[in-house]
Amino acid sequence: MKKFFSLMAILILVTIKIPVAVAESSGAIIDEQEFRNYLVEIFESDIYSDYGFNTDDVDQMSFGDPIAIYDLNPSFAFGEDEDMLQNRVEEWIAIVYENDKAINGLKLRENNSGELEISGFGYPLTLARAVEQLDQNELLFYEFPTGYYYAFNQQNDTVRLLEEEVISIYSDEQTENLSEEEFQKKLEERYDNVEKGDETISGFGGTEQVQEKQSILLYSSLGFGVVLFSSLLFFLWKRKHA
């Protein structure tokens, strides 16, 4: 858990151009050597094991095709829109493998030339494995205030929560195969409580233990001391401009 929390507070702003076809989430051409050079720089200053790796030998690492990470539509979360995801994709993840085992991921963003470039490194330590196992009909998406990642199955319109660490918190709750309607209802309840004055975003459950763990996950995932209430304000702003 310590490694999981320390990982999430790290954000890297160095950018390297990677020629990738933005419209594609698989089969894109990537420069693996550029990725390796980037990781060499990371591991010179950071501890590789904090990212889940067993070695800093980048020659033992390979990379997956970029996968789009959609953002949850704030208006959907407040029950004001039927579209669950925002149309514009602002981040892609390229899974980093160590000896063919999914370990972590590089953050990619689109530049003004329509190419993807590295914008950072490091996700929750269980996310890469979950992303690797996504069904071909599933889209990866992100809920900003909590820092949680989900998979949306376009074929049967169901949602499931990703990340083993997070799912363990809600072991007594349904965390997968939620219909869009069920998922929206949970989100409405979550943010309705916040708007009424409860600044704790209470995920799927509402116990003090769940809320405490969830707050820790939030602070860790956003890094740099960003607090929960600031996250909510930004989410509300995105809701108004969605």
Side-chain angles (χ1 to χ4, degrees):
M1 292 294 291
K2 182 178 179 182
K3 292 180 179 179
F4 172 78
F5 294 144
S6 63
L7 161 70
M8 296 308 300
I10 300 172
L11 296 175
I12 308 299
L13 299 179
V14 178
T15 59
I16 300 176
K17 277 192 176 180
I18 307 293
V20 181
V22 173
E24 299 181 0
S25 60
S26 62
I29 299 174
I30 60 176
D31 189 335
E32 292 204 356
Q33 190 55 50
E34 292 285 359
F35 283 176
R36 291 193 179 92
N37 291 342
Y38 181 87
L39 292 180
V40 167
E41 295 183 8
I42 295 295
F43 295 151
E44 284 179 352
S45 57
D46 295 328
I47 302 173
Y48 61 85
S49 58
D50 285 347
Y51 295 93
F53 294 96
N54 295 312
T55 178
D56 59 357
D57 182 3
V58 297
D59 289 333
Q60 296 185 37
M61 299 176 190
S62 57
F63 308 90
D65 295 333
I67 296 175
I69 301 177
Y70 291 83
D71 286 321
L72 176 68
N73 178 8
S75 295
F76 175 87
F78 286 92
E80 299 172 351
D81 196 330
E82 295 181 356
D83 294 330
M84 185 170 62
L85 307 180
Q86 295 189 25
N87 291 327
R88 178 174 174 78
V89 176
E90 298 184 354
E91 182 173 319
W92 286 256
I93 176 175
I95 296 177
V96 182
Y97 296 85
E98 178 185 284
N99 295 323
D100 298 324
K101 181 180 179 181
I103 302 295
N104 214 305
L106 287 161
K107 301 173 185 283
L108 308 176
R109 290 186 180 273
E110 184 180 359
N111 62 22
N112 294 332
S113 300
E115 301 172 323
L116 294 185
E117 59 185 21
I118 298 176
S119 61
F121 175 59
Y123 288 92
L125 294 184
T126 59
L127 183 63
R129 293 194 296 273
V131 172
E132 180 188 36
Q133 296 169 9
L134 286 176
D135 183 271
Q136 62 178 0
N137 296 310
E138 290 182 318
L139 297 178
L140 174 64
F141 73 96
Y142 177 71
E143 181 191 3
F144 175 76
T146 59
Y148 293 171
Y149 292 86
Y150 302 85
F152 170 58
N153 191 307
Q154 302 175 89
Q155 187 173 37
N156 54 28
D157 294 329
T158 58
V159 175
R160 62 186 179 93
L161 183 64
L162 300 179
E163 302 175 62
E164 295 171 8
E165 295 279 1
V166 178
I167 293 174
S168 65
I169 297 176
Y170 305 112
S171 58
D172 59 341
E173 305 248 355
Q174 184 182 2
T175 58
E176 62 179 61
N177 296 326
L178 291 169
S179 68
E180 283 190 71
E181 292 76 14
E182 291 172 328
F183 181 58
Q184 186 176 43
K185 183 178 179 180
K186 287 183 179 292
L187 293 176
E188 286 185 72
E189 294 174 352
R190 178 185 305 174
Y191 298 114
D192 183 56
N193 290 335
V194 178
E195 286 193 309
K196 288 179 179 177
D198 180 2
E199 295 182 10
T200 301
I201 295 181
S202 58
F204 285 82
T207 66
E208 291 182 3
Q209 181 182 15
V210 167
Q211 293 177 353
E212 179 181 358
K213 288 185 178 180
Q214 191 172 31
S215 296
I216 293 174
L217 287 169
L218 170 69
Y219 299 144
S220 301
S221 66
L222 296 181
F224 292 110
V226 178
V227 296
L228 178 59
F229 193 60
S230 297
S231 302
L232 176 62
L233 290 178
F234 180 77
F235 196 67
L236 291 171
W237 179 87
K238 292 188 73 173
R239 170 196 178 190
K240 293 179 180 179
H241 292 78

